[in-house]
């Protein structure tokens, strides 16, 4: 074997050793959590409090949207996928093909909040009116009891679980208006609505409050009714969300690949615990029901 | 058949154009992917390694991709450049061509995709990826190192199968349940670097059955009439094992039957081959090991012509901050023909995308 060949083989071996070495630099197992932007702050805070109480536990929480989290679980690049919508049939099929068997947990409930600029006098909206506004069928606030002003739509991008939930649940699976401004996240929608007097947006209830726990200045939450004959409720009304009277509420999910391992299961148990649910409520979401807890327990076994 | 195919293409095009009739808020993305090799021959007496092109950097591909999405409607444009030089002139007297020695750019994808017109489905119209290689390429995952079995042996055997990764036409793919996926595509059959030369179209069918989580079978067939009396058919079967976390193992088999494939005495022959490949992700985003064995028979009527190929290597991503990947790999060719010596080639593939 000549010198050049020895050099090539030596170089290849050196690279393999370097690559292997970089793997073992980090020995402790980091739990990777990825997905919904609606959930990222909530899960991040729960993870920090959990790590404070459990030295040695390591969690990394990333956003990117529900679709990103779900594909991360399918491609096995994360241990927990956050999603603010149910899994689609095509995602379940893709997971099955790749040997991933998703188990779904509900960790909080979100009353999706409909927000307008604080100067907008509109008093309430029905689910049908909300759908018509976002489909672009209602273009002026006057048609739904508001001022003579053009409606300016703010929503999320299509990789967002919130986008999909609204489309299925409020728009009746029809397309959003082509005029809707598709924003990167809840915070951008809030900024847009505060700056635009004719605006309407939707955000997770946890994003409504400022650091002092008050509704952000310049925002107004619009009560929503199931139909013309029903009373309208606020998304901040826990009793109305729990009873289903507030019509735009949704569970927030986490998914694992099959039965979760001990470390992941311990974190999910913390999220479900009274302590974890206190964080859920403190961050503006709603605690899960006993039915959700029973389902979660079943999936942990 | 041709009228049905044309009607299907026009109907899909009309749906996509109708959705484009009003200005929409779009999500746009731009991406570039590049890969090139440093090649060094570890043997010097096989058919490949006995030439002088040893010890060289070899450009492979550069892709520039632009995507635009409006809800269920997407548009994709991909410009591609490979290591084939541009032809700048043709000398008919000498039957020769001149090239400029530069990289050849060409359009790889230019299509519209509309999702969920039928539940859980996608329709693509335009210059789109075909159904032929995708399931195997996705699982192999190292297109930068090597193409998959059906597409990888032209340089060694001198004959190639009429199959392509993209073509002009329309496709419908979808999921029926978690146990079954389907795909059908109608194309010109002339591939992405040529214009249509005849009235005949190629039709492709693909069905995926997933009886167990992580175990799937993909059946594929295509058919094209080449002339009044000639036709070509491909049959392919993939068995995919993905039951163990981070491990993918695939067995692939194909047979290609083209009426134009004839020996000097007029005897018709087929091409066929099989491949077993796998990859193991040691650490996601850091280190992956891969290996593969192909056996390719360019002519079923000639003995001693089988080619065997072992590829082994690993992928190392030195930093999480950028999609830079280094993929050292070794290719070991064996030939059934005893007159041909083995070829052994060391390759350092550099891959990055941004």
């Amino acid at each position: 074997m000549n010198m050049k060949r020895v050099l090539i083989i030596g170089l290849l071996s050196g690279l393999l050793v370097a690559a292997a070495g970089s793997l073992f630099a980090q020995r402790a197992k980091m739990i990777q959590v990825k997905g919904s932007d609606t959930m990222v702050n909530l899960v991040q805070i729960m993870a920090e409090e959990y790590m404070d109480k459990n030295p040695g536990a390591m969690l990394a929480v990333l956003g990117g949207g529900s679709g990103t989290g779900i594909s991360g679980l399918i491609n096995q690049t994360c241990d927990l996928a956050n999603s603010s919508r149910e899994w689609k049939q095509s995602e379940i099929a893709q997971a099955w093909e790749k040997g991933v068997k998703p188990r779904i947990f509900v960790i909080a409930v979100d009353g999706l909040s409909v927000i307008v600029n604080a100067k907008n006098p509109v008093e309430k909206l029905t689910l049908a009116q909300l759908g018509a506004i976002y489909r672009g069928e209602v273009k002026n606030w006057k048609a739904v009891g508001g001022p003579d002003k053009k409606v300016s739509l703010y929503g999320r991008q299509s990789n967002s679980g919130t986008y999909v939930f609204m489309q299925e649940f409020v728009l009746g699976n029809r397309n959003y208006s082509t005029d809707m401004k598709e924003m990167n996240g809840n915070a951008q929608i809030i900024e847009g609505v505060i700056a635009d007097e004719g605006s309407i947006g939707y955000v997770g209830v946890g994003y409504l409050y400022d650091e002092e726990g008050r509704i952000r200045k310049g925002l107004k939450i619009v009560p929503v009714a199931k139909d013309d004959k029903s009373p309208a409720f606020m998304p901040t009304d826990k009793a109305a969300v729990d009873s289903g009277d507030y019509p735009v509420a949704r569970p927030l999910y986490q998914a694992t690949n099959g039965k979760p391992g001990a470390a992941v299961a311990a974190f999910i148990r913390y999220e479900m615990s009274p302590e974890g649910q206190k964080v859920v409520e403190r961050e503006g979401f709603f605690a899960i029901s006993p039915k959700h807890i029973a389902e979660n327990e079943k999936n942990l076994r | 058949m041709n009228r049905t195919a044309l009607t299907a293409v026009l109907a899909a095009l009309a749906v996509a154009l109708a959705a484009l009739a009003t200005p929409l808020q779009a999500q746009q993305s731009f991406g570039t992917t590049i890969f090139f090799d440093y090649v060094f021959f570890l043997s010097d007496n096989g058919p490949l390694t006995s030439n002088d092109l040893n010890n060289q950097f070899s450009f492979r591909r550069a892709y520039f991709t632009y995507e635009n999405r409006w809800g269920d409607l997407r548009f994709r444009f991909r410009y591609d450049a490979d290591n084939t030089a541009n032809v700048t002139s043709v000398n008919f007297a000498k039957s020769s061509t001149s090239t400029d020695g530069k990289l050849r750019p060409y359009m790889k994808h230019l299509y519209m995709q509309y999702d969920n017109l039928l539940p859980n489905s996608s329709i693509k119209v335009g210059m789109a990826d075909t159904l032929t290689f995708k399931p195997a390429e996705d699982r192999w995952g190292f297109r930068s190192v090597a193409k998959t079995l059906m597409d990888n042996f032209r340089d060694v055997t001198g004959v190639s199968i009429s199959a392509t990764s993209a073509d002009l036409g329309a496709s419908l793919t979808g999921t029926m349940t978690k146990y079954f996926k389907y795909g059908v595509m109608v194309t010109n059959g002339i591939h992405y670097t040529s214009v249509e030369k005849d009235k005949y179209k190629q039709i492709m069918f693909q069905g995926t059955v997933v009886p167990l989580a992580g175990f799937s079978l993909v059946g594929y067939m295509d058919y094209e009439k080449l002339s009044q009396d000639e036709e070509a058919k491909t049959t392919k079967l993939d068995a995919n094992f993905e039951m163990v976390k981070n491990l993918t193992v695939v067995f692939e088999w194909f047979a290609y039957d083209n009426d134009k494939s004839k020996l000097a005495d007029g005897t018709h022959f087929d091409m066929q081959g099989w491949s077993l490949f796998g990859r193991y992700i040691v650490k996601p985003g850091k280190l992956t090991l891969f290996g593969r064995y192909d056996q390719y028979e360019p002519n079923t009527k000639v003995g001693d012509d089988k080619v065997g190929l072992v590829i082994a290597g690993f992928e190392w991503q030195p930093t999480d901050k950028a999609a830079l990947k280094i993929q050292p790999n070794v290719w070991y060719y064996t030939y059934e023909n005893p007159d041909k010596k083995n070829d052994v080639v060391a390759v350092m593939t550099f891959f990055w995308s941004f």
Side-chain angles (χ1 to χ4, degrees):
Chain A
M1 193 174 284
N2 67 28
M3 198 53 170
K4 278 183 184 167
R5 284 180 211 172
V6 172
L7 279 174
I8 291 280
I9 291 166
L11 182 62
L12 296 183
S13 310
L15 269 172
L16 186 57
V17 169
S22 70
L23 294 185
F24 298 106
Q26 252 187 353
R27 282 191 189 165
K29 164 76 177 156
M30 172 87 79
I31 297 171
Q32 301 285 346
V33 189
K34 205 187 274 185
S36 164
D37 285 318
T38 301
M39 297 168 70
V40 67
N41 286 351
L42 169 66
V43 178
Q44 176 73 53
I45 290 164
M46 286 205 278
E48 281 166 12
E49 298 202 1
Y50 179 74
M51 287 188 284
D52 283 347
K53 293 184 172 87
N54 296 274
M58 290 171 72
L59 288 107
V61 183
L62 294 172
S66 299
T68 305
I70 289 169
S71 61
L73 193 76
I74 292 171
N75 294 319
Q76 303 181 42
T77 57
C78 68
D79 304 294
L80 266 175
N82 291 337
S83 71
S84 58
R85 61 165 173 83
E86 290 183 349
W87 282 48
K88 296 176 190 169
Q89 189 191 313
S90 57
E91 290 163 340
I92 292 169
Q94 201 188 348
W96 178 254
E97 198 176 335
K98 292 199 162 197
V100 172
K101 294 179 247 182
R103 287 199 186 189
I104 313 283
F105 302 87
V106 176
I107 62 152
V109 175
D110 183 20
L112 196 61
S113 314
V114 177
I115 51 173
V116 294
N117 187 279
K119 290 181 183 160
N120 190 330
V122 71
E123 286 176 2
K124 67 167 193 173
L125 290 169
T126 64
L127 211 51
Q129 285 172 328
L130 194 57
I133 288 171
Y134 269 98
R135 287 191 299 267
E137 294 157 14
V138 170
K139 293 189 182 297
N140 193 300
W141 280 109
K142 210 171 167 183
V144 290
D148 184 7
K149 200 165 201 67
K150 194 183 165 203
V151 176
S152 179
L153 298 171
Y154 289 79
R156 293 292 310 279
Q157 291 178 331
S158 58
N159 61 346
S160 147
T162 313
Y163 175 103
V164 176
F165 173 79
M166 280 286 287
Q167 188 173 34
E168 288 176 1
F169 200 75
V170 178
L171 279 75
N173 265 326
R174 290 161 68 188
N175 280 333
Y176 282 96
S177 164
T178 55
D179 294 328
M180 184 175 84
K181 295 171 188 72
E182 295 188 0
M183 313 303 276
N184 268 330
N186 288 287
Q188 285 79 10
I189 291 181
I190 285 172
E191 279 171 26
V193 170
I194 289 172
D196 182 347
E197 284 189 27
S199 62
I200 182 168
Y202 55 81
V203 292
V205 74
Y207 286 83
L208 295 171
Y209 303 96
D210 62 20
E211 285 168 2
E212 286 156 16
R214 290 177 304 209
I215 301 294
R216 286 174 199 267
K217 204 175 166 192
L219 276 190
K220 175 177 168 181
I221 308 168
V222 182
V224 181
K226 277 183 186 169
D227 51 46
D228 286 344
K229 292 169 191 156
S230 307
F233 291 93
M234 291 284 272
T236 48
D237 180 346
K238 179 172 168 36
V241 170
D242 279 350
S243 65
D245 286 333
Y246 180 72
V248 204
R250 57 181 178 169
L252 299 178
Y253 304 97
Q254 280 184 331
T256 58
N257 176 9
K259 184 184 170 185
V264 175
F267 178 62
I268 294 172
R269 281 190 199 285
Y270 166 78
E271 291 177 307
M272 288 160 48
S273 71
E275 207 177 348
Q277 291 298 301
K278 246 185 220 168
V279 180
V280 166
E281 293 190 322
R282 195 177 74 213
E283 292 305 310
F285 297 93
F286 298 114
I288 52 178
S289 66
K291 189 182 142 206
H292 289 137
I293 292 173
E295 281 292 316
N296 289 346
E297 287 290 356
K298 211 168 97 187
N299 279 332
L300 281 169
R301 286 195 289 271
Chain B
M1 177 61 223
N2 283 337
R3 274 188 201 163
T4 311
L6 188 63
T7 309
V9 170
L10 291 176
L13 192 60
V15 169
L17 286 175
L20 271 177
T22 48
L24 305 169
Q25 284 285 325
Q27 292 176 41
Q28 302 179 74
S29 65
F30 299 88
T32 303
T33 299
I34 294 169
F35 44 91
F36 65 94
D37 295 335
Y38 171 72
V39 180
F40 185 80
F41 296 161
L42 293 175
S43 72
D44 57 7
N45 50 9
L48 276 178
T49 51
S50 53
N51 73 46
D52 294 333
L53 280 174
N54 194 3
N55 185 25
Q56 60 161 327
F57 283 97
S58 169
F59 180 80
R60 301 272 304 291
R61 283 287 192 282
Y63 303 106
F64 171 74
T65 309
Y66 167 73
E67 287 187 319
N68 210 334
R69 181 176 180 144
W70 307 267
D72 287 336
L73 183 69
R74 296 183 207 193
F75 171 85
R76 179 181 169 101
F77 172 82
R78 169 172 275 190
Y79 212 46
D80 193 339
D82 67 7
N83 54 1
T84 309
N86 294 296
V87 174
T88 51
S89 67
V90 180
N91 185 331
F92 290 101
K94 292 182 183 170
S95 297
S96 64
T97 55
S98 303
T99 61
D100 62 5
K102 293 174 183 166
L103 306 172
R104 175 187 65 161
Y106 52 89
M107 189 175 70
K108 182 72 178 274
H109 292 155
L110 181 57
Y111 66 79
M112 283 177 289
Q113 177 177 337
Y114 194 78
D115 294 335
N116 300 315
L117 188 64
L118 298 173
N120 303 305
S121 75
S122 285
I123 291 173
K124 289 179 186 171
V125 181
M127 183 77 83
D129 40 336
T130 64
L131 309 174
T132 316
F133 306 123
K134 196 162 171 43
E137 274 208 349
D138 285 351
R139 287 180 172 87
W140 166 234
F142 293 97
R143 169 65 186 82
S144 49
V145 170
K147 297 174 180 178
T148 49
L149 173 71
M150 266 178 68
D151 204 16
N152 195 41
F153 284 83
R154 182 169 47 186
D155 294 344
V156 182
T157 61
V159 287
S160 73
I161 291 166
S162 176
T164 181
S165 55
D167 206 343
L168 189 59
S171 70
L172 169 68
T173 55
T175 302
M176 295 181 89
T177 68
K178 69 180 181 180
Y179 302 107
F180 183 68
K181 283 164 58 175
Y182 63 90
V184 59
M185 185 168 197
V186 180
T187 69
N188 277 341
I190 199 71
H191 310 172
Y192 53 87
T193 49
S194 307
V195 292
E196 178 64 316
K197 291 175 183 159
D198 60 38
K199 63 179 180 179
Y200 304 112
K201 300 289 162 279
Q202 185 174 41
I203 184 155
M204 306 169 199
F205 299 98
Q206 184 179 283
T208 304
V209 183
V210 195
L212 301 167
F215 173 61
S216 56
L217 295 166
V218 185
Y220 167 87
M221 287 184 73
D222 66 43
Y223 171 84
E224 184 181 15
K225 204 165 171 60
L226 304 172
S227 67
Q228 194 61 35
D229 307 314
E230 294 170 313
E231 57 191 34
K233 297 187 283 281
T234 309
T235 313
K236 195 155 80 80
L237 183 69
D238 291 0
N240 309 306
F241 303 86
E242 295 166 280
M243 286 168 281
V244 177
K245 188 178 178 187
N246 293 332
L247 177 68
T248 301
V249 177
V250 176
F251 174 79
E252 182 172 48
W253 168 88
F254 85 92
Y256 178 67
D257 174 4
N258 185 326
D259 288 341
K260 287 182 188 290
S261 303
K262 286 176 183 164
L263 298 175
D265 64 1
T267 310
H268 172 72
F269 67 87
D270 294 339
M271 297 178 206
Q272 61 184 35
W274 61 268
S275 176
L276 180 67
F277 60 82
R279 63 187 159 107
Y280 180 67
I281 301 170
V282 181
K283 180 162 179 147
K286 257 314 181 213
L287 181 67
T288 302
L289 307 177
F290 57 86
R292 167 169 145 188
Y293 177 74
D294 294 352
Q295 190 176 96
Y296 190 87
E297 184 166 21
N299 188 327
T300 51
K301 290 288 177 347
V302 172
D304 291 350
D305 68 336
K306 284 182 192 155
V307 182
L309 169 63
V310 175
I311 301 175
F314 65 93
E315 175 185 88
W316 178 35
Q317 194 170 338
T319 170
D320 296 337
K321 303 282 183 291
L324 165 66
K325 295 170 183 175
I326 298 168
Q327 299 165 332
N329 54 97
V330 175
W331 296 44
Y332 181 63
Y333 281 101
T334 55
Y335 304 93
E336 195 180 23
N337 184 340
D339 295 336
K340 292 183 178 176
K341 306 286 185 200
N342 298 337
D343 286 306
V344 190
V345 181
V347 183
M348 184 76 78
T349 302
F350 298 89
F351 173 103
W352 68 83
S353 62
F354 47 90

